[in-house]
Amino acid sequence: MISFDATRFQPTPDELNEESDDFINPDVFGKELSIFLSEELAASGFEVSFACAEDWGWYHEIDHDEPFALVFGCSNYGDGHLVQFSPKTEHVRKMFKKYHAAPKVDALRGAIWKILENAEGVSNLRYEED
């Protein structure tokens, strides 16, 4: 997991409006971060094929050439923000085959780290255990 502080990613009006489709839960937001990471990842060669709001934040699937879901989620966390990744295991078993997932997750994590490291208004960037 990557956690960080940021002054730039604030709740959108829709995330504060309980009648909106973008409302997640009270004090839970991440749409600005979701849009920012999706756009920056596209410039880095990662295509977000699906994104949606979940009860904990924003969920994203990355298009790739393996038959397992490569996913990241982002949200605020207290006064900071976090990005989580899946799969969390080194390997994924699917249809009697074993796929080495770690290189894909590591590449995605590295790309997001670099994006955040170079982003204005982001500080205290750190890796944490899930």
Side-chain angles (χ1 to χ4, degrees):
M1 168 177 15
I2 296 173
S3 62
F4 59 97
D5 299 324
T7 56
R8 69 181 291 170
F9 306 115
Q10 300 299 315
T12 64
D14 285 343
E15 289 177 300
L16 298 173
N17 178 355
E18 289 187 29
E19 303 300 316
S20 171
D21 287 342
D22 286 345
F23 179 79
I24 298 172
N25 273 314
D27 301 320
V28 177
F29 61 92
K31 187 174 183 178
E32 284 187 358
L33 177 57
S34 171
I35 292 167
F36 173 76
L37 289 176
S38 295
E39 290 173 353
E40 293 295 317
L41 281 169
S44 299
F46 291 90
E47 181 184 341
V48 174
S49 58
F50 177 76
C52 69
E54 290 287 345
D55 60 351
W56 48 263
W58 287 81
Y59 170 90
H60 307 79
E61 291 181 4
I62 301 294
D63 187 31
H64 68 112
D65 59 356
E66 299 284 348
F68 60 86
L70 180 59
V71 173
F72 77 92
C74 62
S75 181
N76 67 310
Y77 179 70
D79 291 336
H81 299 271
L82 58 87
V83 181
Q84 298 180 65
F85 303 89
S86 182
K88 295 184 184 303
T89 59
E90 183 93 11
H91 296 90
V92 174
R93 290 193 181 277
K94 192 162 183 140
M95 297 299 292
F96 308 110
K97 289 184 88 176
K98 184 176 176 181
Y99 298 93
H100 195 85
K104 296 279 186 171
V105 175
D106 290 345
L108 176 60
R109 184 183 298 114
I112 289 178
W113 179 273
K114 186 174 180 181
I115 289 165
L116 293 170
E117 187 175 48
N118 294 312
E120 186 175 323
V122 171
S123 62
N124 200 19
L125 191 60
R126 59 206 177 274
Y127 285 115
E128 295 189 18
E129 293 294 318
D130 287 324

